[in-house]
Amino acid sequence: MTESEQPSVPLSTLLADPALGLRRIAGPAEEHRVRVSTVGTTEIEDPTPYLVGGELLLTAGVRLPLDSEGIDAYVRQVVAAGVSALGFGVAPVHEEVPPQLIAACDRHGLPLLRLPPTTPFVAVGQAVYAAIAEARNRELREISRAQSALATAAARPGAIRAVLAQLSAHTGAWAVLHDAQGAELFSAGTRPAAPTPGRVRDLAVRTTARVRARSGPAGRSAPAAAADHQGGTHLTVHTLPGAEGTTTLALGQAATSAPTLVHRQVTSTATVLLALLTSPRHALGTDTHSAGALVRLMLGADPAEVAPALAPADTTEAEHSWVVVHGRHTRPRATQAPHPGDDPAHLATLATALRTPYLHIDGADLKALVPSAADARPEAPAQAADLGWVLGFSTPAPASDLPHADRQAERALRCAIAADVPAVVHTEDPLTVHGLVPAADARDLARTRFAPLDRAGAPGAPVLLDTLRTWLTLHGSWDRTAATLHVHRNTVRHRLARVGELLDVDLQDPGVRMELWFALHWLPGGADAAGE
């Protein structure tokens, strides 16, 4: 976070609070320009080693120098440390603010506030942090409204123009989309006078050229940003991420004020949406190859036959492999908030993070197919965790082995949930207990061990097995199992009591749990069943 993005409030907000009774008695009169990001209290002669800048520094003058020269040196030190303002509490040490301190603050341009005896220092701190929290909440509400407007715009006809229009409306900047040669494709907002549009174009051309120069071997361009400030005009350029085999595009902005944190967040969302809207592969649509593959599948073609049509055009036949991803959205969401799959901005960001348009979100559950080289190791993007997703990745597999990879991804997701980590990538390890027992014997053991469950009434053996598997995966946690299965914890207890009764075992015995866990993996459809 840059200094300008640190949460802060104008000093004028504190001066306007009648409950505090603060009064500026020295320093510049433009209180609205002075920002306070924190409150510190000190009674030492030289507090500068303990300051970070932006403080409203409070003191009762316990160890304030007695002479004018010492007071002047004190004020110089705190000004050099970046203190925003100095607050002086009168009584019991000083009956009134020393005149030498008032003169020194005027001399060095440091706002000096008088705190009446009835205002505790703690009350000032509480007021600052409450004001900062309210300011942050306003920013978050503004960001949320802007993102919602951008997502709605992305679903309209003429989506690119609509997104640019919303971006301009929420940032107050002229927004323009350039191609790599500097041609102006779309724009929105009040067009600035010359030479500003030309400066934006030149900055966009230089930035896209730098991106193309460092593109990876597969032709994927890493996004970049650039900024310029001249004569009161602030220019920014962001290249669009995720373009594959296409001309790099750049989003330019020109404004008469520096971009705020809100503007940066809104621009980030718009950049993602524009990248998806201008790419032949994006989460809000499809390309002709993908559409053709879907038609062939619906007319009876084998998945392995149509899979190459879904792979990136720059991959060879030997590289037509896929990574299966399973995900669970775990971040608490307000009841009125849409599911992740119903939020275009969320879907667009997740598709860009995973680098695939092939997503299926059902409520809180995700399945995805990611094109991959056969020898590549999947990597979990940090952005997916930021969006609230826990992920499980399979190893790369050809289309003919996708059911096998699907089981790997499901198993990896369960491990990630159990370990409370953002992601787990499946690994093949032959040195396991499963490798020591012949597969045929293990499958016979599994069928025999769970055969008594076939005599269970409602809800049936499959439900009891799934409850047992989830409970063991989550290390016997009733609450987490209930949350994962979306049932009441008493339902979990009842089901497992029925399992223990039918199998005639004590589920609290670690040895029993180990035996059942081994057998579960060899049931039909288990992670280590035939074909593993």
Side-chain angles (χ1 to χ4, degrees):
M1 180 179 292
T2 65
E3 182 175 321
S4 63
E5 294 172 350
Q6 290 287 348
S8 63
V9 293
L11 184 60
S12 57
T13 300
L14 304 179
L15 292 171
D17 189 344
L20 297 178
L22 305 180
R23 182 164 56 90
R24 186 189 61 80
I25 59 175
E30 297 178 325
E31 296 96 346
H32 63 284
R33 294 184 179 274
V34 178
R35 309 286 302 189
V36 175
S37 58
T38 187
V39 176
T41 302
T42 180
E43 299 298 345
I44 61 177
E45 295 177 356
D46 181 15
T48 54
Y50 310 100
L51 301 176
V52 296
E55 297 95 340
L56 168 58
L57 189 63
L58 304 180
T59 180
V62 175
R63 304 191 66 177
L64 187 72
L66 300 178
D67 60 302
S68 297
E69 184 177 344
I71 291 177
D72 189 85
Y74 176 86
V75 173
R76 281 201 316 272
Q77 288 174 333
V78 298
V79 169
V83 167
S84 294
L86 184 65
F88 195 93
V90 298
V93 180
H94 294 268
E95 292 298 322
E96 195 50 64
V97 182
Q100 301 94 324
L101 182 60
I102 296 175
C105 288
D106 273 330
R107 190 160 48 247
H108 295 288
L110 178 66
L112 175 61
L113 311 184
R114 180 188 183 275
L115 277 69
T118 55
T119 300
F121 285 7
V122 171
V124 178
Q126 290 174 336
V128 169
Y129 298 130
I132 288 176
E134 176 56 27
R136 178 60 76 187
N137 286 336
R138 286 196 300 271
E139 290 179 343
L140 292 175
R141 289 193 294 270
E142 186 177 348
I143 291 171
S144 178
R145 287 193 295 268
Q147 290 178 334
S148 177
L150 287 167
T152 301
R156 294 174 182 164
I160 296 178
R161 294 184 188 276
V163 168
L164 286 174
Q166 288 298 326
L167 174 62
S168 178
H170 286 276
T171 62
W174 178 60
V176 57
L177 193 64
H178 286 289
D179 66 15
Q181 287 71 43
E184 186 176 309
L185 305 178
F186 304 95
S187 67
T190 303
R191 187 180 186 86
T196 298
R199 289 174 49 210
V200 175
R201 181 192 63 240
D202 294 342
L203 185 61
V205 170
R206 293 196 302 269
T207 306
T208 53
R210 187 171 72 252
V211 169
R212 291 199 308 274
R214 70 184 190 199
S215 297
R220 182 182 295 277
S221 300
D228 188 17
H229 176 211
Q230 290 183 10
T233 302
H234 297 262
L235 311 181
T236 58
V237 163
H238 295 80
T239 62
L240 303 190
E244 295 181 35
T246 60
T247 303
T248 302
L249 303 178
L251 169 65
Q253 293 171 284
T256 56
S257 59
T260 65
L261 173 63
V262 172
H263 295 163
R264 297 181 200 278
Q265 293 290 334
V266 174
T267 299
S268 177
T269 300
T271 301
V272 171
L273 288 172
L274 289 169
L276 294 166
L277 290 169
T278 56
S279 171
R281 275 190 168 93
H282 57 74
L284 306 179
T286 186
D287 57 53
T288 55
H289 290 289
S290 300
L294 177 60
V295 170
R296 292 163 63 190
L297 280 173
M298 295 181 70
L299 294 178
D302 185 82
E305 177 187 344
V306 301
L310 303 177
D314 53 6
T315 58
T316 65
E317 187 70 26
E319 294 175 327
H320 286 166
S321 293
W322 300 87
V323 171
V324 179
V325 183
H326 281 213
R328 176 71 53 83
H329 197 267
T330 60
R331 177 171 297 172
R333 301 176 66 91
T335 55
Q336 68 271 21
H339 288 299
D342 298 330
D343 182 352
H346 184 111
L347 181 63
T349 306
L350 181 62
T352 302
L354 291 175
R355 296 187 173 186
T356 180
Y358 309 122
L359 304 177
H360 171 66
I361 297 179
D362 182 9
D365 296 319
L366 160 74
K367 288 188 178 182
L369 284 175
V370 181
S372 172
D375 57 351
R377 174 171 173 78
E379 293 184 0
Q383 197 171 19
D386 294 339
L387 292 170
W389 289 97
V390 178
L391 302 176
F393 291 76
S394 75
T395 54
S400 58
D401 286 342
L402 284 180
H404 170 72
D406 187 55
R407 293 193 296 271
Q408 289 182 347
E410 180 183 9
R411 177 179 171 186
L413 174 61
R414 288 178 174 174
C415 291
I417 294 174
D420 196 22
V421 296
V424 166
V425 178
H426 177 84
T427 56
E428 298 287 357
D429 184 4
L431 299 178
T432 64
V433 174
H434 300 286
L436 302 178
V437 180
D441 293 343
R443 285 191 289 270
D444 288 340
L445 168 66
R447 283 192 290 266
T448 302
R449 195 69 188 86
F450 294 110
L453 297 184
D454 293 335
R455 302 194 301 270
V463 173
L464 295 179
L465 284 170
D466 187 52
T467 302
L468 175 63
R469 181 182 286 109
T470 303
W471 184 70
L472 291 174
T473 299
L474 297 176
H475 306 293
S477 171
W478 306 101
D479 291 333
R480 294 174 66 189
T481 302
T484 300
L485 297 176
H486 305 293
V487 298
H488 195 276
R489 68 194 309 269
N490 289 341
T491 301
V492 175
R493 289 184 177 275
H494 176 75
R495 290 178 183 176
L496 291 175
R498 183 61 175 154
V499 170
E501 176 185 354
L502 290 170
L503 300 183
D504 192 24
V505 295
D506 179 7
L507 293 179
Q508 300 306 316
D509 186 337
V512 170
R513 293 191 190 188
M514 180 185 70
E515 177 191 355
L516 295 179
W517 180 249
F518 177 88
L520 279 169
H521 279 269
W522 287 98
L523 280 178
D528 288 301
E532 286 284 313

